[in-house]
Amino acid sequence: MSNFGDDSDSEVDRIMTDRPPSSYGSMHSDDHEDEEDDEFEEPPLKLPATRVRLHRSDSPETAITERTNTNQSSVYIDGLVLRPQPVMHTAESHSRHSFNREPSIVEPSELQSDIRTEAAMDVELNDRDAEINESDMQEQQNEGAAMEQAEATKEDDDFDEIVVHFEEAKDPPPPPPEGVGLQFQHTHYSLTLRHVLKQMVGCLSQLHPGEIAYFKRSLSNHCRFRKNYSRIADLNDPLDLADKMIEVCELGEALHLTVRAIPNIGKGNLSEYLRKTCRRAVLQHDLKIAHERRYYSLYEGRCRPGQQRYISDVYVEPVTVIRGSREPINLENEVQRIPYTIQETQIRAADIFRPLPHEQKPIRTVMMTGIPACGLTVAVNKVIIDWIEKKNNQDFQFVFPLPAKELHLGKDENQSFLEMLGNFFAEADDIKFIEKPDCLSLFIIDALELCKHNLDFKNNEVISSARVKAPLDALLTSLIKGTLLPNARVWITSHVTAAHRIPQQLIDRYVELRGFTDEKKEEYFTKRTPDPELGRKVYNHMKRSKALEIICHLPLFSWMVAFIFERGFRDPEYGKHPPGITAFYSQFIVVQMNRSFEKYRGCSVEAQKWRDEDKMFIEMMGKMSYKMIQEGRDWFTVEDLTSVNLTYEDLANRDELTTEVKRRNEDIHTWIFKFVHITVQEYMAAMYAYVAFRKHGKNVIEPSKMSWFQGSNKDRPVIELYRPAIDRALVSPNGHLDMFLRFLVGLVTPGTEDNLRGYLLNHYHPKAKGTEEVVKYINKKMRDNIHADRRRNLELCLVELEEGKEGR
């Protein structure tokens, strides 16, 4: 396919080999002697006549924001508009005309004028009409028709892009550093600066000086040129103009502006030719703009309008490992220290497609799993933002996120994979070249647990072409299998409970998100606040509680601690006492339940309301947790759920508190589950005992001592509950009731009990009576001869009481 200029001896090639563009050093040269010494002298550009007439627009365009304006019309509608005349330019003329840097056709005085009056333009154009005879015009029209016919014939063969032949790089790409993704190959030629600059200059060189002037004026409406129009006002050479555009607004945006602006000066065929020769660069730019609007902000916790943060300002990468034999739950708590002896291979999230040194087979499909609140979706968003900002994974030409929650929102009837992409990404409408072997794309299926499709890998039709229509479920299974787009890469994220939906033989690598290490915690607390000193105060205060320091390996819990402590330190008196932990766990349960509602019900007001079955679910899970603590185990099965009148479906629809840790076979009764952390289980057990006493008047710790009439008395002194609880915790040989007792004591104070009102307690429930007796009893037991660890736990119980007095 012909191109604008010759690939071997054009001036762009010479300059690209001698010195970089002005983005890295100016391409504009004031020394005309160097141009005369070129080995090949370029012929002057012969311009066809174009009859133009000036008009005023009735509806000026409104510029929005810098990012939004990039996808709006870039034409200067506020000023002059050109009415195009039917003048054709041929592909042969594109290749015949070189990038002439000397504007010998136009007088210097004309080059200094950006806008001419209508009368002046008419005189000038009439003179130029006389210079070109009628036979030349007829020849150009015939050549233009031949070019359009040739392009129409070659469109299917070229997969909707005009292929420009080039010499591939022979040397292998250099090995990339860790954390920037795997460099599979050299950058595709159509995405390089050399190619895009050459095509831009080739199109701009077909415009005569009057059209160049109006092209520059159209750029003045763009946000990047509105205040800096003087940087391009005096540039009339196409090479200098294109180079300056790339310097000001980067490669993709400069190409986008050129494609959008040229049709408005009557050169729609040039714009279409430029778009097809740079099809991948145009699509990549449009995708990056769309992704940036969707993924640049981060909602910590739940989505609350106006409280989003820029993801790079708060994101700290959790530890990612290639899955081994260790279970995903962190078994450490303040009482039990369980050292891990299993060595695992750590890997950066950006490198999950990089084969290890001993692996020869390329990694095509990756499954990333993790427990709830570990940050799976946030990790995906950060990788997308880093790809947009050219920080990693630049070997992927395109990245297509396919949130599993939204896949069922597409068309129900059969459709091709190209049509499906067009439905989700308007920028990617009918991109046939995605099937080419040299088109390396990444598809991200995020949150597989929310996918409502069956994903029937056994019975679905096998699809091998992106243009064949089929049900969406068959398209997804074929994409994961590799029969559809075998050269693409697929990244799937899922909670552990849903990872089994993809057959293991189809996954090349399993990776897990582990959460924050101690160093990552400190980095997070100091990074997320504009005041580093405040961040250090928050981190040091958090470390005063060993329980908080451990549970903060979950990024969501770290956010809660930082959110509360940062506001607490507005009070100069804050931070004198060690932090309590009960209030954090109360809010953690509420936040996680609300996130489950968002995932499985929606974000409407009605969907977010707590129903009676939700409150019953929390109480029954607490009842099961209390039974597990009594038996000394931290796992449960479906039979345990059945014993408290719950089903697996109840658990699966509220899966933010638990995770699956073992699945021997497809028999549901063999599956084993755990809470996301042992302390969550201990809090749930304490909450159940407290709510049963305060709401139902039942003492689950000593049920035998309750008389028949006490069941209806919900306002008895709480010392009746706490006396046996303290006694049992003190006689525990291994301290397995220490954390349970601390949570139970912390719930009685007004500041922490208020977290349950409206959820598990009534809004106007009477306040607890007899808390002073609880304090006296704890002090009495501390004077007795008890184990040092039990004494320390009683001291921490007093801290919980002190922290909850005023709701700090």
Side-chain angles (χ1 to χ4, degrees):
M1 204 71 186
S2 62
N3 188 21
F4 300 135
D6 183 70
D7 289 345
S8 61
D9 57 2
S10 71
E11 187 171 358
V12 174
D13 286 346
R14 181 183 62 80
I15 294 179
M16 292 298 293
T17 55
D18 292 345
R19 50 194 172 117
S22 63
S23 307
Y24 313 92
S26 176
M27 292 187 68
H28 186 68
S29 174
D30 296 329
D31 189 1
H32 297 283
E33 295 181 0
D34 294 342
E35 299 173 5
E36 295 175 357
D37 294 337
D38 291 345
E39 183 178 356
F40 297 98
E41 181 178 356
E42 301 293 341
L45 177 64
K46 184 176 181 181
L47 296 172
T50 303
R51 184 69 177 178
V52 296
R53 191 171 298 277
L54 305 180
H55 298 274
R56 292 284 181 181
S57 172
D58 296 330
S59 56
E61 180 183 4
T62 302
I64 307 175
T65 61
E66 176 175 340
R67 284 300 180 189
T68 309
N69 195 38
T70 57
N71 270 3
Q72 301 295 323
S73 175
S74 302
V75 186
Y76 188 71
I77 307 180
D78 216 8
L80 302 176
V81 180
L82 297 178
R83 177 177 296 174
Q85 298 294 327
V87 178
M88 307 301 297
H89 293 270
T90 65
E92 287 76 6
S93 66
H94 296 163
S95 60
R96 186 172 63 246
H97 294 321
S98 64
F99 308 142
N100 186 14
R101 298 178 57 90
E102 298 184 5
S104 58
I105 301 178
V106 187
E107 295 296 330
S109 60
E110 294 179 348
L111 296 178
Q112 306 301 323
S113 174
D114 293 327
I115 303 180
R116 303 178 180 84
T117 63
E118 184 173 356
M121 285 296 297
D122 286 341
V123 172
E124 177 187 351
L125 295 175
N126 287 333
D127 293 340
R128 295 191 178 180
D129 286 341
E131 296 177 0
I132 302 178
N133 55 45
E134 185 176 355
S135 61
D136 291 338
M137 289 293 298
Q138 184 65 36
E139 180 184 354
Q140 290 180 352
Q141 291 179 359
N142 295 337
E143 290 176 351
M147 183 196 72
E148 291 181 352
Q149 182 178 1
E151 289 186 6
T153 305
K154 292 284 294 180
E155 183 172 359
D156 288 339
D157 296 337
D158 291 335
F159 289 82
D160 82 330
E161 64 173 346
I162 297 179
V163 179
V164 179
H165 298 287
F166 63 95
E167 184 178 355
E168 296 184 0
K170 298 179 180 179
D171 298 331
E178 183 181 359
V180 298
L182 178 62
Q183 190 170 344
F184 295 96
Q185 55 191 8
H186 290 284
T187 303
H188 193 271
Y189 182 76
S190 64
L191 297 172
T192 60
L193 171 65
R194 176 191 181 115
H195 173 77
V196 175
L197 178 62
K198 181 183 295 185
Q199 301 307 316
M200 288 178 59
V201 173
C203 285
L204 294 177
S205 65
Q206 305 307 303
L207 308 179
H208 53 64
E211 294 169 335
I212 288 287
Y214 292 122
F215 175 81
K216 291 186 296 182
R217 292 298 295 174
S218 70
L219 298 179
S220 66
N221 192 47
H222 187 264
C223 53
R224 292 191 184 272
F225 293 99
R226 189 175 297 116
K227 295 182 180 180
N228 301 312
Y229 178 68
S230 59
R231 302 179 66 178
I232 62 172
D234 297 331
L235 298 178
N236 295 280
D237 180 76
L239 182 58
D240 290 334
L241 179 58
D243 177 60
K244 184 59 66 175
M245 289 177 61
I246 295 174
E247 178 187 352
V248 172
C249 56
E250 297 186 350
L251 186 66
E253 197 167 349
L255 176 62
H256 171 81
L257 292 176
T258 306
V259 171
R260 295 291 297 272
I262 289 181
N264 294 276
I265 53 178
K267 295 297 186 293
N269 58 332
L270 285 180
S271 174
E272 183 64 16
Y273 188 87
L274 177 60
R275 187 186 67 84
K276 286 194 173 184
T277 53
C278 301
R279 184 75 168 93
R280 303 193 190 199
V282 171
L283 174 60
Q284 188 182 84
H285 170 264
D286 293 344
L287 279 179
K288 287 184 176 182
I289 294 298
H291 292 347
E292 189 169 17
R293 289 171 177 163
R294 179 168 185 176
Y295 297 105
Y296 86 100
S297 61
L298 169 68
Y299 289 93
E300 298 177 293
R302 292 184 60 204
C303 297
R304 290 180 296 277
Q307 296 190 16
Q308 64 268 33
R309 307 278 298 275
Y310 183 52
I311 187 171
S312 295
D313 291 342
V314 297
Y315 180 77
V316 174
E317 184 176 351
V319 175
T320 307
V321 300
I322 297 178
R323 191 173 75 176
S325 57
R326 170 182 156 186
E327 67 179 39
I329 301 297
N330 181 5
L331 302 177
E332 181 184 12
N333 68 0
E334 191 168 343
V335 179
Q336 297 176 342
R337 303 295 177 83
I338 303 177
Y340 289 105
T341 58
I342 300 176
Q343 297 295 327
E344 295 177 314
T345 303
Q346 291 193 14
I347 191 171
R348 298 284 299 276
D351 295 333
I352 57 177
F353 289 95
R354 180 204 294 265
L356 297 178
H358 65 276
E359 295 177 335
Q360 301 298 328
K361 180 182 177 182
I363 307 298
R364 181 186 184 272
T365 307
V366 174
M367 170 73 76
M368 176 179 283
T369 60
I371 64 175
C374 71
L376 282 172
T377 298
V378 179
V380 169
N381 294 1
K382 186 60 169 63
V383 169
I384 294 175
I385 290 296
D386 286 344
W387 176 75
I388 294 174
E389 297 177 349
K390 299 182 179 181
K391 294 180 180 178
N392 59 34
N393 286 305
Q394 290 308 292
D395 24 23
F396 290 124
Q397 298 174 25
F398 312 108
V399 174
F400 297 100
L402 301 174
K405 185 179 180 180
E406 303 174 5
L407 289 177
H408 71 284
L409 300 177
K411 297 181 180 179
D412 295 333
E413 62 269 15
N414 292 355
Q415 57 186 322
S416 67
F417 191 81
L418 293 179
E419 293 174 341
M420 186 270 288
L421 277 185
N423 293 334
F424 282 96
F425 305 95
E427 303 81 6
D429 185 29
D430 196 26
I431 48 171
K432 304 181 182 67
F433 63 81
I434 198 173
E435 296 186 81
K436 289 186 176 182
D438 63 350
C439 185
L440 188 62
S441 304
L442 172 63
F443 294 89
I444 305 176
I445 303 177
D446 184 32
L448 181 66
E449 67 274 7
L450 302 180
C451 183
K452 296 184 179 181
H453 292 278
N454 295 327
L455 298 181
D456 190 352
F457 287 89
K458 295 182 179 179
N459 301 318
N460 276 347
E461 178 185 1
V462 177
I463 309 300
S464 58
S465 173
R467 310 184 210 183
V468 174
K469 292 187 176 182
L472 182 55
D473 193 71
L475 297 178
L476 292 175
T477 54
S478 298
L479 176 66
I480 297 174
K481 283 181 178 179
T483 58
L484 180 63
L485 303 181
N487 297 291
R489 301 297 186 266
V490 181
W491 179 12
I492 306 171
T493 69
S494 172
H495 285 176
V496 181
T497 52
H500 70 280
R501 299 185 62 183
I502 310 297
Q504 293 187 5
Q505 64 270 19
L506 301 180
I507 304 298
D508 297 318
R509 172 177 288 171
Y510 285 90
V511 295
E512 289 183 358
L513 243 58
R514 293 292 190 195
F516 289 158
T517 60
D518 292 340
E519 295 77 12
K520 296 290 186 179
K521 296 172 191 174
E522 183 177 6
E523 180 184 354
Y524 174 78
F525 282 105
T526 55
K527 182 179 181 179
R528 73 179 307 276
T529 173
D531 183 5
E533 185 62 29
L534 176 60
R536 281 187 287 270
K537 284 184 180 180
V538 170
Y539 176 70
N540 293 331
H541 190 54
M542 178 272 295
K543 288 189 67 176
R544 297 175 68 182
S545 171
K546 190 63 181 178
L548 286 183
E549 186 180 7
I550 294 173
I551 192 62
C552 277
H553 77 281
L554 295 177
L556 179 66
F557 216 100
S558 291
W559 161 74
M560 293 177 56
V561 172
F563 185 85
I564 294 175
F565 283 178
E566 286 174 6
R567 284 148 185 79
F569 274 106
R570 296 173 182 173
D571 182 3
E573 300 297 322
Y574 190 81
K576 292 184 177 180
H577 302 283
I581 62 174
T582 310
F584 287 106
Y585 281 82
S586 302
Q587 296 177 38
F588 179 76
I589 299 300
V590 173
V591 168
Q592 289 295 76
M593 287 293 291
N594 289 336
R595 293 180 72 201
S596 290
F597 300 159
E598 287 180 357
K599 289 171 58 176
Y600 295 102
R601 298 179 189 172
C603 299
S604 64
V605 176
E606 289 297 322
Q608 288 297 294
K609 289 183 178 179
W610 281 59
R611 303 170 184 172
D612 292 338
E613 56 266 27
D614 301 322
K615 301 175 183 179
M616 184 60 64
F617 172 80
I618 292 295
E619 285 193 45
M620 292 300 98
M621 290 295 289
K623 182 179 181 180
M624 184 185 67
S625 301
Y626 182 71
K627 179 182 177 182
M628 293 163 57
I629 287 181
Q630 287 182 313
E631 297 175 358
R633 58 187 174 96
D634 61 353
W635 53 270
F636 63 93
T637 62
V638 175
E639 282 79 4
D640 294 314
L641 293 173
T642 305
S643 66
V644 293
N645 298 322
L646 293 178
T647 64
Y648 172 73
E649 286 71 24
D650 295 328
L651 186 70
N653 293 330
R654 304 172 182 86
D655 63 350
E656 295 296 317
L657 298 175
T658 61
T659 186
E660 179 183 325
V661 296
K662 188 175 295 185
R663 178 188 293 255
R664 295 187 179 91
N665 50 51
E666 294 302 319
D667 184 5
I668 192 174
H669 299 284
T670 64
W671 302 350
I672 297 178
F673 306 87
K674 286 187 178 183
F675 286 89
V676 293
H677 194 258
I678 182 64
T679 52
V680 177
Q681 172 189 330
E682 293 166 326
Y683 171 82
M684 295 285 288
M687 181 195 63
Y688 163 73
Y690 185 78
V691 171
F693 185 84
R694 296 278 286 128
K695 184 177 181 180
H696 305 293
K698 299 179 180 179
N699 190 335
V700 299
I701 298 178
E702 284 189 337
S704 60
K705 293 187 178 182
M706 293 181 60
S707 58
W708 64 273
F709 61 90
Q710 287 177 327
S712 60
N713 186 359
K714 305 175 185 178
D715 199 21
R716 302 197 317 275
V718 293
I719 188 63
E720 297 181 16
L721 173 68
Y722 284 92
R723 185 182 292 111
I726 294 173
D727 293 340
R728 291 194 179 188
L730 293 179
V731 298
S732 172
N734 57 359
H736 74 286
L737 295 177
D738 282 2
M739 295 298 297
F740 167 80
L741 178 63
R742 195 187 308 179
F743 287 127
L744 186 63
V745 173
L747 285 168
V748 76
T749 57
T752 51
E753 188 186 69
D754 287 347
N755 292 311
L756 302 181
R757 295 185 182 274
Y759 300 105
L760 301 180
L761 295 178
N762 297 327
H763 280 290
Y764 303 103
H765 201 84
K767 293 185 178 181
K769 296 181 179 179
T771 55
E772 298 82 3
E773 297 181 17
V774 176
V775 176
K776 292 179 181 178
Y777 192 75
I778 291 177
N779 288 324
K780 176 185 175 182
K781 288 297 182 180
M782 290 177 62
R783 291 191 293 268
D784 295 341
N785 186 18
I786 59 177
H787 192 276
D789 292 339
R790 308 291 84 75
R791 182 189 301 275
R792 173 60 179 166
N793 191 64
L794 291 180
E795 294 174 355
L796 294 174
C797 289
L798 294 178
V799 170
E800 297 296 324
L801 288 172
E802 185 67 25
E803 277 288 293
K805 280 184 179 179
E806 300 179 1
R808 289 196 292 265

